[in-house]
Amino acid sequence: MQRLIIIVLGIAILWSGFWFWGAERNKAGIAALVAGAEKSGWQVQFEQISQMGFPNRYDVTLRNPQISNAADTFDWQATFLQIMRLTYTPTHWLIIWPNTHDLTLAGQPVRLISQNLRASVTQSEGAQWRATATAENLTFTANLGLSLPIKNVQISTEQSLKKTRVYAKGTTAQPLNPDLQMTLELYADLRDMRDGKATLSAQNIIIKMNGKTLVSDGMVDFYEDVPPKGWLGIKVANLNSGWAVLTALLLPLKALLGDQVADISLKFDLGG
């Protein structure tokens, strides 16, 4: 019995040492992610970082984090941000957000209320990142009295060295008939353009409503000091079923951001 106790204690001591060694490496990895984001033009700040989860997890909590871009067109703040993973899955993280978020978009304050907002993030060989974020409810509220509630939200991204593929889906009330629900889907490829005049380019844009394609193609370039510019291809065959709804949905965004929204031209897709 005494020998068994000694063996168990030895294993516990070894595992404890392994956990604390891994905990330091985990915090260093998160610091490297922050440094990488700052090199890409983002500013990441937080008041405190703590780590728990012994014996089989690493649960890192950032207190009062703030993320903004160099152009001051985007800012996000919250009371905490949790980044968790198991000790034996070094390339798979679970991220959990609080229910209240304070955003600044193009100089305008926006309050985001979320329910069960979390994301699963994985990294594979070749510097590829995959992330899927879900939330039962998201509600965007602006000081102008504008409010946009969205249910069953899903946002997926897949990042490679050359581009980031984005998919977003959510259900909300139709602005022209609040008693009816509509499900919107967005597909786009994002390319980093920091070596040119634009900072980011969204390409291969597709927008669907209730399964019907409203925007069949498009490209929008984003800049630090001027509104975005580009074009969208409108699916003519589905104009009657959804384009008016989509236009009405974009009106609150125009009212919120004013002249900062975009300089977007329209092209018409005559295909069936």
Side-chain angles (χ1 to χ4, degrees):
M1 177 63 69
Q2 185 178 5
R3 180 177 297 179
L4 179 61
I5 294 175
I6 293 174
I7 292 175
V8 171
L9 287 176
I11 293 174
I13 293 172
L14 289 174
W15 181 258
S16 298
F18 170 77
W19 186 91
F20 283 103
W21 172 77
E24 289 302 317
R25 293 193 63 185
N26 186 60
K27 289 178 66 175
I30 293 176
L33 289 176
V34 171
E38 291 178 342
K39 288 182 179 179
S40 299
W42 294 94
Q43 299 173 357
V44 182
Q45 300 177 345
F46 49 87
E47 291 184 0
Q48 183 184 17
I49 180 171
S50 60
Q51 185 164 230
M52 302 179 65
F54 182 84
N56 60 355
R57 297 201 320 266
Y58 297 125
D59 300 347
V60 173
T61 300
L62 305 180
R63 295 294 179 186
N64 298 318
Q66 180 179 3
I67 301 175
S68 57
N69 63 354
D72 293 329
T73 57
F74 174 86
D75 183 87
W76 169 85
Q77 300 181 51
T79 55
F80 71 86
L81 180 67
Q82 287 187 316
I83 306 172
M84 303 183 294
R85 73 168 178 88
L86 296 172
T87 55
Y88 49 85
T89 56
T91 59
H92 185 188
W93 298 266
L94 177 65
I95 301 177
I96 297 178
W97 286 268
N99 292 334
T100 303
H101 318 249
D102 290 313
L103 296 143
T104 301
L105 303 176
Q108 300 296 326
V110 177
R111 171 63 60 89
L112 170 62
I113 304 297
S114 63
Q115 183 178 0
N116 294 329
L117 176 58
R118 57 191 60 198
S120 174
V121 181
T122 60
Q123 184 185 21
S124 59
E125 295 182 1
Q128 290 188 338
W129 292 85
R130 291 181 175 88
T132 299
T134 59
E136 295 180 12
N137 295 288
L138 291 180
T139 301
F140 295 87
T141 304
N143 285 345
L144 300 175
L146 305 173
S147 180
L148 177 62
I150 307 175
K151 299 179 181 179
N152 303 321
V153 178
Q154 176 185 341
I155 302 174
S156 300
T157 63
E158 182 178 348
Q159 183 183 40
S160 61
L161 293 176
K162 295 183 178 180
K163 67 180 180 180
T164 301
R165 177 159 293 179
V166 177
Y167 169 76
K169 180 179 180 181
T171 301
T172 187
Q174 293 192 15
L176 301 180
N177 189 346
D179 294 331
L180 297 179
Q181 297 287 308
M182 63 178 179
T183 298
L184 295 174
E185 296 176 273
L186 167 68
Y187 304 78
D189 291 334
L190 304 180
R191 296 182 182 274
D192 196 316
M193 306 287 287
R194 295 183 187 278
D195 55 344
K197 294 182 179 180
T199 60
L200 186 69
S201 179
Q203 304 174 0
N204 304 321
I205 299 172
I206 298 175
I207 299 176
K208 295 183 178 182
M209 189 191 80
N210 296 335
K212 292 186 176 181
T213 300
L214 302 183
V215 175
S216 59
D217 198 2
M219 182 177 69
V220 178
D221 292 335
F222 297 87
Y223 302 85
E224 291 186 354
D225 52 354
V226 297
K229 297 181 180 180
W231 60 272
L232 295 175
I234 308 304
K235 193 72 173 179
V236 174
N238 295 331
L239 279 176
N240 292 335
S241 63
W243 183 248
V245 173
L246 184 61
T247 302
L249 189 65
L250 293 177
L251 288 178
L253 182 62
K254 174 65 177 177
L256 172 64
L257 302 181
D259 295 335
Q260 296 296 319
V261 174
D263 179 11
I264 305 297
S265 61
L266 302 181
K267 299 181 179 180
F268 295 96
D269 180 356
L270 302 179

